[in-house]
């Protein structure tokens, strides 16, 4: 019953399809061995800022391995799990991007088949299941399989994993096929610190034929490849580098679907399996290149086969990432995706000679291949195509602009010099040029990039980014308990912190919030990655209490601040800097002003102003979420939020730019809810019951069970009633945050920023209460200034300096409007008006300059009357006017070459010239201006026809002589 029925589709009559292979893996563990089947997590990591993409099946289970999972969460209930995880390795530590296309097995997107045990089975069962699946279900010949195990490391005091070796021997694997290897190959670590352990790998020999291929295992041979890795997490790597046994053992296995399909479909290349062949066929139909032949290296003339592999791989990754909410952008994972898309476009147009749109045309084929396993791809197919097409069009435009930048830079370069690294970095960072494309374009011109200087810029950028929030904060070692301390707390029966007092507040009769006092006992202190009973004065530590009224940072809401005092010692305050939740324990970050001991009785005081501001902004976030859905439609989904005492941030799906009218409507819906002063109802209910609520708003994250529901205006029990549609008409969300008890306390809300983060996702920033009122007042003041400027612009102005001053005022006011906190709808309106005013001013200045230039040109024409060369001085307020005088003269007398100088009050002399086309190529305007301005100790530049420059007034007379002599020598 465990064998699939062979299908002639794609893979051939005797070979199973990739879909059958994937399904057999999941069924085997779910039905025969009692594993819970979980869907793939999105490839956008959740709660791990150091990770660009989910790059392994175990990412979503990290909290279990680290021991930080909340004991009441759904995740904590898992014991045996199986799934097929979407993974992306591009950027960061695991980066396959530059290798993709060069060979037949590297990919940026791949599927990881995996089974896990969390404190349940261990080595014996894991190995037995793996062997059974490979040899009995998939029917892989046993003599083609080799297994490796950890051979020990004396320097770390680790002996060989003989337990694992003996399991394989008992399963009947010949001793010659059971091979020991070192730490590098058979010891898996999550990072520099944390859970780790020995692993056993299963390798497959593609050649077979009864030979012994043991010598080729782990030697990089394409004939003998690893197909499955079974990791036994039994240690924890400490900061000092030593290893300690974990309190609970776990199993984490991973098998790449692409490699497994290659084996079972009897292929040698992943690209020859039915995961890729339909995509490669679709590429061939849409381009002008010959059909894919699987060639690599020198045999792949023109890199055509490499281009096929790059495009096929990258379009899979693009589809999966865009579906999971990662769009091409300018930082982090979004930047990696942007470069990947542009790399694919470059291979499409430059190598495969395909017309624009090929990449998006492949989306339906990708959906056909992967859609059954990941139905979200099918639902988002049109959006994926739109994003790809829009980004491709932008890159093709950038490509042309980049060519012009390179052309201009090369023209200005000294002979035999390297291309400037700064320009290359700008092309790479700002225009998104792949580095290999820059090299190719420079190679065509016979020059090379200054690689050393470019690498320095890369290092500087990496250092700058490492200093950001992703690098981790200094308090991390205090706020996050290590796995051993967590195990020690639980082993000592230290109860999880009762943080229910954080919700203990009421509304007084005069409308003020009253927060109940909280008394607690210090259970344990945490410092230097160890639990301590006592911490001395001046030391920073984490304080674990039996109960607390402090809100720990979670659910997008900032943690509380405040202080604690020891009972009977009112004058000694222990400031609480921040609060974090870890494995059910609330950690208060404190700097001890005096010795603090376990057993001390303390009184807790939350900073009530900061808490109330967070409560106001969190409730306002729920109002905003509801209003956005009401105005923009029910498909508007929350993508993230962050609540602080100062403001709130909210990210959401959107099909286009949010208009001025929509922003006003959203604010109006919120204002109406505030005016109605709705009661905010909150209650804890079972998670399964909560998820049945129609219209419930919830983000993609794990919730505890029971879970807290926050409902505006409708009691929670009414929302939970069967077939109730109450949640469709108001805001009902799963939320652990602290909230106001009535919406009227929000007072006001102003959206002060709205922008698209990437295509399809917008971010709004809003302020409430007094800050919102202040923003509206500032908006009104700026609106009056813009009105005043508009009236002045309508007056008849004939002075160029006066109009230039008005233009300058428009520019300055535009900067103020752009940078000042004010309602976003009003900012957009004012920016539109100011943009029109700037155009009006520029047009007026140009018109006045032309009028002035015409008058000066008429005087000079009368003076020189059709002479072949005009050289003179003329008063002009700017180089722009002087250039226009020259242009007018040459337009009215086409055979004349003109050079004019204009002395300025500052002592500078402006120079402008134009050479008649009849005099080319012997007479160059650029050379003429350079000769004249050099005489005045100045600079010049331009083209053979038109040039300009400046110099010092002291050399003006000599410059006029030089101008005439130069012209005479060329004519």
């Amino acid at each position: 019953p465990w064998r699939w029925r062979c299908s002639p589709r794609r893979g051939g009559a005797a070979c199973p399809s990739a879909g059958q292979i994937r399904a057999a893996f999941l069924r085997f563990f779910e039905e025969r061995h009692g594993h819970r089947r979980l869907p793939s997590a999105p490839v956008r990591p959740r709660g791990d800022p150091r990770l660009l993409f989910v790059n392994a099946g175990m990412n979503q289970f990290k909290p279990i391995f680290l021991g930080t999972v909340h004991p009441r969460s759904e995740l904590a209930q898992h014991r045996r799990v199986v799934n097929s995880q979407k993974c992306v390795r591009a950027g960061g530590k695991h980066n396959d991007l530059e290798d993709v296309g060069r060979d037949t097995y590297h990919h940026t997107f791949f599927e990881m088949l995996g089974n896990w045990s969390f404190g349940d089975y261990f080595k014996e069962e894991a190995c037995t299941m793996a062997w059974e699946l490979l040899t009995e279900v998939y029917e892989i010949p046993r003599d083609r399989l080799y297994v490796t195990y950890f051979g020990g490391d004396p320097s770390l005091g680790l002996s060989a994993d003989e337990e694992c070796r003996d399991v394989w021997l008992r399963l009947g694997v010949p001793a010659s096929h059971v091979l020991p290897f070192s730490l590098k190959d058979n010891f898996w670590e999550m990072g520099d610190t944390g859970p780790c352990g020995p692993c056993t790998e299963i390798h497959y020999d593609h050649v077979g034929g009864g030979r012994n291929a043991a010598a080729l295992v782990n030697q990089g041979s394409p004939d003998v490849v690893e197909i499955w890795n079974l990791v036994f997490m039994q240690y924890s790597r400490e900061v000092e580098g030593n290893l300690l046994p974990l309190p609970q053992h776990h199993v984490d296995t991973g098998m790449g679907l692409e490699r497994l399909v290659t084996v079972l479909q009897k292929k040698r290349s992943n690209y020859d399996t039915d995961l890729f062949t339909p995509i490669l066929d679709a590429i061939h139909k849409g381009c002008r290149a010959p059909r894919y032949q699987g060639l690599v290296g020198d045999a792949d003339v023109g890199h055509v086969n490499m281009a096929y592999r790059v495009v096929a791989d990258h379009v899979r990754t693009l589809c999966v990432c865009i579906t999971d909410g990662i769009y091409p952008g300018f930082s982090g994972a979004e930047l990696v995706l942007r470069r990947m898309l542009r790399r694919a476009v470059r291979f499409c147009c430059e190598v495969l000679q395909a017309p624009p749109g090929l990449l998006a045309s492949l989306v339906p084929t990708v959906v056909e291949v992967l859609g059954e396993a990941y139905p979200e791809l099918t639902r988002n197919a049109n959006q994926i195509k739109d994003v790809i097409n829009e980004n491709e069009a932008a890159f093709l435009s950038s490509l042309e602009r980049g060519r012009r930048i390179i052309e201009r830079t090369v023209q200005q370069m000294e002979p035999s010099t390297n291309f400037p690294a700064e320009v290359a970095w700008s092309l790479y960072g700002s225009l998104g040029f792949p580095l290999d494309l820059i090299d190719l374009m420079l190679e065509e011109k016979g020059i090379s990039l200054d690689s050393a200087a470019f690498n320095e810029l890369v290092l500087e950028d990496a250092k700058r980014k490492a200093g950001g929030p992703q690098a981790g904060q200094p308090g991390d070692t205090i706020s996050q308990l290590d796995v051993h301390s967590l195990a020690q707390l639980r082993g000592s029966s230290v109860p999880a912190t009762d943080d229910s007092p954080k919700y203990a507040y009421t509304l007084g009769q005069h409308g003020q919030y009253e927060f109940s006092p909280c008394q607690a006992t210090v259970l344990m202190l945490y410092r230097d990655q160890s639990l301590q009973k006592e911490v001395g004065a001046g030391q920073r530590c984490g304080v674990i209490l039996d109960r607390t009224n402090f809100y720990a940072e979670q659910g997008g809401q900032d943690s509380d601040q405040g202080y604690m005092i020891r009972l009977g010692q009112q004058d000694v305050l222990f400031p609480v800097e921040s609060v974090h939740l870890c494995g059910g324990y609330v950690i208060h970050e404190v700097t001890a002003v005096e010795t603090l001991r376990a057993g001390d009785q303390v009184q807790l005081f939350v900073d009530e102003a900061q808490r109330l501001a967070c409560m106001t902004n969190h409730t306002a976030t729920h109002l905003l979420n509801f209003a956005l859905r009401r105005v923009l439609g029910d498909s508007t989904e929350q993508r993230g939020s962050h609540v602080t005492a100062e403001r709130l941030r909210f990210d959401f799906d959107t099909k286009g730019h949010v208009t001025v009218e929509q922003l006003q409507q959203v604010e109006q819906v919120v204002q109406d809810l505030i005016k109605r002063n709705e009661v905010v109802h909150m209650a804890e209910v079972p998670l399964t019951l909560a998820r049945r609520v129609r219209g419930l708003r919830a983000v993609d994250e794990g919730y505890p069970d029971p879970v807290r529901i926050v409902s505006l205006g409708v009691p929670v029990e009414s929302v939970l009633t069967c077939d109730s549609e109450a949640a469709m008409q108001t805001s009902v969300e799963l939320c652990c945050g602290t909230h106001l008890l009535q919406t009227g306390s929000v007072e006001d809300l102003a959206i002060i920023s709205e922008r698209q983060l990437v295509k399809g996702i917008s971010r709004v920033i809003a302020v409430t209460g007094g800050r919102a009122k202040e923003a509206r007042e500032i908006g009104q003041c700026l609106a009056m200034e813009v009105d005043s400027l508009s009236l002045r612009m309508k007056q008849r102005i004939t002075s160029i300096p006066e109009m230039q001053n008005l233009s300058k005022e428009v520019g300055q006011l535009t900067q103020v409007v752009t940078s000042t906190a004010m309602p976003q709808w009003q900012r957009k309106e004012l920016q539109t008006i100011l943009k029109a005013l700037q155009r009006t001013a520029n047009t007026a200045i140009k018109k006045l300059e032309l009028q002035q230039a015409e008058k000066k040109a008429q005087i000079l024409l009368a003076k020189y009357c059709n002479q072949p060369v005009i050289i003179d001085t003329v008063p002009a307020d700017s180089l722009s006017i002087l250039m226009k005088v020259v242009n007018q003269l040459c337009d009215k007398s086409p055979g004349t070459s003109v050079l004019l100088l204009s002395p300025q009050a500052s002592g500078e002399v402006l120079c402008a010239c134009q050479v008649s086309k009849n005099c080319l190529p012997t007479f160059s305007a650029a050379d003429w201006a350079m000769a004249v301005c050099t005489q005045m100790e100045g600079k010049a530049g331009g083209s053979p026809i038109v040039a300009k420059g400046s110099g010092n007034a002291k050399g003006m007379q000599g410059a006029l002589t030089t101008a005439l002599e130069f012209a005479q020598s060329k004519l």
Side-chain angles (χ1 to χ4, degrees):
W2 299 102
R3 297 175 186 175
W4 52 71
R5 291 175 181 171
C6 290
S7 165
R9 190 171 68 88
R10 286 193 194 147
C15 297
S17 69
Q20 290 172 314
I21 293 167
R22 185 194 298 110
F25 181 92
L26 298 171
R27 273 204 336 272
F28 173 80
F29 283 101
E30 183 181 19
E31 297 175 16
R32 180 177 281 196
H33 293 289
H35 287 60
R36 182 173 181 182
R37 180 173 172 177
L38 295 182
S40 169
V43 292
R44 178 186 284 278
R46 196 168 61 203
D48 193 345
R50 294 171 181 81
L51 206 56
L52 292 174
F53 303 95
V54 166
N55 56 25
M58 52 73 63
N59 288 157
Q60 64 177 309
F61 305 118
K62 271 188 181 180
I64 298 178
F65 299 138
L66 294 169
T68 58
V69 63
H70 195 288
R72 285 196 294 140
S73 70
E74 196 173 4
L75 196 61
Q77 313 312 313
H78 296 325
R79 288 295 172 265
R80 296 183 175 206
V81 166
V82 64
N83 86 339
S84 177
Q85 174 63 47
K86 299 175 291 187
C87 299
V88 174
R89 289 187 178 173
K93 178 183 174 185
H94 299 288
N95 183 5
D96 289 349
L97 182 57
E98 295 304 321
D99 294 319
V100 169
R102 300 181 192 279
D103 54 40
T104 60
Y105 51 86
H106 272 100
H107 306 292
T108 51
F109 165 74
F110 63 97
E111 298 176 67
M112 185 70 85
L113 303 172
N115 61 289
W116 289 268
S117 164
F118 307 119
D120 190 350
Y121 60 80
F122 205 43
K123 296 177 185 179
E124 177 93 31
E125 298 91 333
C127 295
T128 302
M129 292 177 200
W131 193 250
E132 180 186 2
L133 176 66
L134 294 178
T135 61
E136 295 180 24
V137 177
Y138 291 142
E139 297 180 317
I140 297 175
R142 296 172 183 238
D143 63 349
R144 289 197 177 203
L145 295 175
Y146 295 80
V147 296
T148 65
Y149 66 95
F150 178 52
D153 190 310
S155 66
L156 290 172
L158 293 174
S159 57
D161 191 359
E162 295 176 356
E163 178 189 358
C164 177
R165 179 200 64 190
D166 293 344
V167 169
W168 288 119
L169 294 174
R170 284 197 299 274
L171 287 170
V173 183
S176 60
H177 284 222
V178 182
L179 313 168
F181 279 90
S182 66
L183 195 78
K184 179 174 76 74
D185 293 306
N186 279 81
F187 196 89
W188 187 91
E189 305 201 44
M190 188 183 292
D192 294 333
T193 60
C196 56
C199 63
T200 182
E201 295 176 342
I202 304 173
H203 296 248
Y204 175 78
D205 176 18
H206 278 285
V207 176
R211 70 169 185 167
N212 188 320
L216 297 177
V217 173
N218 279 337
Q219 298 304 310
S221 168
D223 293 335
V224 181
V225 295
E226 174 209 335
I227 56 172
W228 205 346
N229 187 12
L230 286 63
V231 178
F232 308 121
M233 293 193 195
Q234 58 189 93
Y235 300 107
S236 175
R237 172 84 66 182
E238 303 303 296
V239 175
E240 299 79 12
N242 58 311
L243 295 171
L244 293 177
L246 277 174
Q248 196 174 48
H249 291 173
H250 308 297
V251 173
D252 163 20
T253 87
M255 176 160 56
L257 176 67
E258 290 75 12
R259 283 195 183 180
L260 179 63
V261 173
T262 302
V263 168
L264 296 177
Q265 291 185 357
K266 300 178 174 61
K267 306 294 184 183
R268 292 302 300 271
S269 161
N270 296 355
Y271 291 93
D272 291 337
T273 68
D274 66 346
L275 287 168
F276 287 94
T277 49
I279 304 172
L280 295 170
D281 290 342
I283 294 170
H284 177 64
K285 289 175 185 173
C287 75
R288 290 188 285 273
R291 186 174 289 278
Y292 178 71
Q293 296 175 285
L295 302 175
V296 295
D298 294 337
D300 183 19
V301 179
H303 304 302
V304 171
N305 289 266
M306 177 180 177
Y308 267 100
R309 290 187 289 268
V310 166
V311 174
D313 172 88
H314 287 8
V315 75
R316 284 168 28 112
T317 307
L318 288 163
C319 288
V320 168
C321 287
I322 293 168
T323 294
D324 285 349
I326 304 175
Y327 300 85
F330 297 93
S331 64
E334 284 79 10
L335 178 59
V336 174
L337 203 66
R338 179 173 182 253
R339 288 178 179 156
M340 191 185 301
L341 186 146
R342 294 182 165 209
R343 188 170 187 250
V345 169
R346 177 240 157 162
F347 275 100
C348 280
C349 65
E350 303 240 337
V351 181
L352 298 175
Q353 300 176 355
L358 171 65
L359 206 57
S361 75
L362 303 174
V363 172
T365 308
V366 175
V367 170
E368 183 190 341
V369 173
L370 297 174
E372 188 178 346
Y374 309 108
E376 59 271 22
L377 287 168
T378 307
R379 293 194 297 269
N380 291 280
N382 289 332
Q383 183 195 21
I384 297 167
K385 286 194 280 190
D386 289 344
V387 172
I388 290 176
N389 277 329
E390 183 175 311
N391 279 273
E392 179 179 23
F395 178 50
L396 291 175
S397 165
S398 296
L399 197 60
E400 189 52 42
R401 200 181 330 156
R403 288 188 194 281
R404 292 198 297 270
I405 290 171
I406 289 175
E407 288 283 354
R408 191 179 68 235
T409 306
V410 170
Q411 285 176 6
Q412 295 172 352
M413 282 169 53
E414 297 291 331
S416 305
T417 55
N418 287 331
F419 190 82
E422 297 78 13
V423 179
W425 179 253
S426 175
L427 289 169
Y428 178 71
S430 302
L431 292 182
F433 265 49
L435 192 54
D436 50 1
L437 177 56
I438 297 172
D439 286 332
L440 187 69
M441 294 171 77
L442 294 178
E443 188 181 320
E444 289 168 358
K445 297 185 177 298
I447 56 177
S448 58
L449 174 63
D450 186 349
S451 299
F454 186 88
N455 290 336
E456 280 184 31
L457 292 172
V458 173
L459 284 171
E460 285 174 20
D461 184 63
K463 286 177 184 174
R464 179 178 56 79
K465 287 176 179 172
Q470 290 191 3
Q473 300 301 323
D476 281 353
T477 55
I478 291 175
S479 61
Q480 295 298 318
L481 295 169
D482 68 284
V483 64
H484 302 295
S485 298
L486 275 167
Q488 190 178 337
L489 285 168
R490 289 164 183 160
S492 304
S493 299
V494 175
T497 310
D498 173 17
D499 62 351
S500 59
K502 68 188 178 189
Y503 299 124
Y505 48 88
T506 56
L507 202 54
Q509 63 182 102
H510 302 295
Q512 80 284 7
Y513 278 81
E514 296 171 351
F515 296 86
S516 301
C518 182
Q519 188 174 316
T521 303
V522 176
L523 298 181
M524 196 66 70
L525 302 162
Y526 183 68
R527 187 172 182 275
D528 296 334
Q529 288 197 301
S530 67
L531 297 172
Q532 301 180 12
K533 294 284 188 181
E534 181 177 305
V535 167
Q539 295 182 332
R540 288 184 75 244
C541 66
V543 180
I544 300 170
L545 306 170
D546 62 337
R547 60 200 306 268
T548 183
N549 59 349
F550 277 76
Y551 183 84
E553 182 179 352
Q554 58 180 319
Q557 179 179 328
D558 266 8
S559 76
D560 282 340
Q561 295 174 341
Y563 62 91
M564 58 178 74
I565 62 171
R566 217 175 347 232
L567 288 186
Q569 202 175 8
Q570 302 292 322
D571 57 340
V572 180
L573 275 57
F574 296 87
V576 177
E577 297 159 17
S578 64
V579 188
H580 303 269
L581 187 64
C582 185
Y585 298 97
V586 177
I587 317 298
H588 306 72
E589 283 193 40
V590 167
T591 299
V593 289
E594 282 191 8
T595 300
L596 198 56
R597 298 179 179 85
D600 282 352
Q601 301 289 304
V602 292
Q603 189 86 26
L604 307 178
F605 295 89
V606 169
D607 182 332
E608 293 183 5
Q610 192 240 6
R611 160 68 84 82
L612 186 55
C614 281
M615 287 163 54
T616 301
N617 287 340
H618 206 148
T619 301
T621 302
H622 285 216
L623 298 177
L624 181 63
N625 189 3
F626 174 77
L628 285 165
R629 282 187 148 212
R630 173 64 59 87
V631 173
L632 302 180
D634 287 335
S635 62
T636 307
E637 291 288 344
Q638 178 177 344
R639 283 290 187 175
S641 66
H642 187 216
V643 174
T644 69
E646 291 73 35
R647 63 184 191 176
L648 63 97
R649 188 198 78 211
F650 192 84
D651 301 342
F652 59 97
D653 286 339
T654 177
K655 291 180 179 175
H657 290 282
V658 183
T659 65
V660 167
E661 293 73 24
Q662 287 171 330
L663 285 170
Q664 288 175 306
Q665 289 169 20
V666 168
E667 282 193 2
Q668 189 57 55
V669 171
V670 174
Q671 299 292 345
D672 292 342
L673 288 166
I674 292 170
K675 286 175 186 172
R676 293 214 302 262
N677 198 22
E678 298 278 14
V679 174
V680 181
H681 299 275
M682 292 168 274
E684 281 196 345
V685 300
L687 186 58
T688 51
L689 195 60
R691 283 185 168 151
R692 293 178 196 157
V693 175
R694 295 180 63 192
L696 177 77
R697 255 74 82 193
V699 293
D700 178 28
E701 63 177 52
Y703 289 97
D705 192 8
V707 69
R708 194 170 176 82
I709 287 186
V710 177
S711 172
L712 301 185
V714 180
V716 174
E717 51 266 31
S718 299
V719 169
L720 294 172
T721 305
C722 187
D723 295 328
S724 170
E725 292 195 359
M728 308 289 281
Q729 310 303 322
T730 187
S731 167
V732 180
E733 298 192 31
L734 300 183
C735 183
C736 61
T738 56
H739 286 271
L740 298 173
L741 301 176
Q742 289 179 266
T743 61
S745 299
V746 176
E747 296 179 357
D748 193 6
L749 178 139
I751 297 171
I752 59 170
S753 171
E754 184 278 326
R755 65 185 179 93
Q756 278 207 322
L757 292 179
V758 292
K759 183 176 174 61
I761 297 184
S762 280
R763 168 172 290 178
V764 295
I765 293 172
V767 290
T768 58
R771 282 190 170 90
K773 183 181 177 184
E774 184 183 351
R776 295 192 190 283
E777 289 171 353
I778 291 171
Q780 290 303 314
C781 291
L782 289 173
M784 290 171 63
E785 283 193 48
V786 171
D787 286 342
S788 171
L789 203 53
S790 298
L791 289 172
R792 288 162 60 199
M793 193 71 77
K794 289 174 183 174
Q795 296 170 1
R796 184 173 174 79
I797 297 171
T798 56
S799 161
I800 291 176
E802 190 177 346
M803 186 53 78
Q804 285 174 331
N805 285 335
L806 263 181
S807 176
K808 190 176 179 181
E809 280 187 56
V810 172
Q812 290 171 339
L813 191 52
T814 299
Q815 286 183 336
V816 173
V817 167
T818 301
S819 60
T820 304
M822 61 185 293
Q824 180 69 4
W825 64 264
Q826 192 171 32
R827 187 197 319 279
K828 285 188 171 185
E829 283 188 346
L830 297 183
Q831 284 173 331
T832 302
I833 296 169
L834 288 166
K835 196 173 183 180
L837 290 177
Q838 192 70 69
R839 278 198 303 267
T840 303
N842 292 343
T843 303
I845 290 167
K846 190 176 181 180
K847 188 176 178 181
L848 289 169
E849 285 182 345
L850 275 171
Q851 290 171 356
Q852 196 178 103
E854 280 179 358
K855 290 177 184 177
K856 295 179 188 295
Q858 288 295 341
I859 295 168
L860 288 167
L861 276 173
K863 181 178 178 180
Y864 289 99
C865 194
N866 294 328
Q867 291 187 20
V869 177
I870 296 176
I871 299 170
D872 207 341
T873 61
V874 63
D877 292 333
S878 67
L879 188 55
S880 174
I881 296 173
L882 188 65
M883 199 74 240
K884 286 182 174 66
V885 176
V886 170
N887 297 151
Q888 292 280 336
L889 282 169
C890 291
D891 287 347
K892 290 180 169 59
S893 179
T896 303
S897 296
V898 181
L899 185 143
L900 298 179
L901 300 180
S902 179
Q904 304 293 298
S906 63
E908 185 185 32
V909 176
L910 306 177
C911 171
C913 67
Q914 184 169 333
V915 169
S916 170
K917 291 180 181 178
N918 302 334
C919 303
L920 297 174
T922 54
F923 196 179
S924 164
D927 294 342
W928 198 12
M930 181 61 77
V932 171
C933 292
T934 301
Q935 183 69 33
M936 297 187 294
E937 299 178 350
K939 294 180 179 179
S943 69
I945 295 177
V946 179
K948 55 190 175 182
S950 62
N952 195 303
K954 291 178 184 178
M956 190 171 74
Q957 289 306 317
L960 290 168
T961 304
T962 300
L964 184 59
E965 290 173 352
F966 186 94
Q968 288 172 341
S969 71
K970 300 295 181 182
L971 294 174

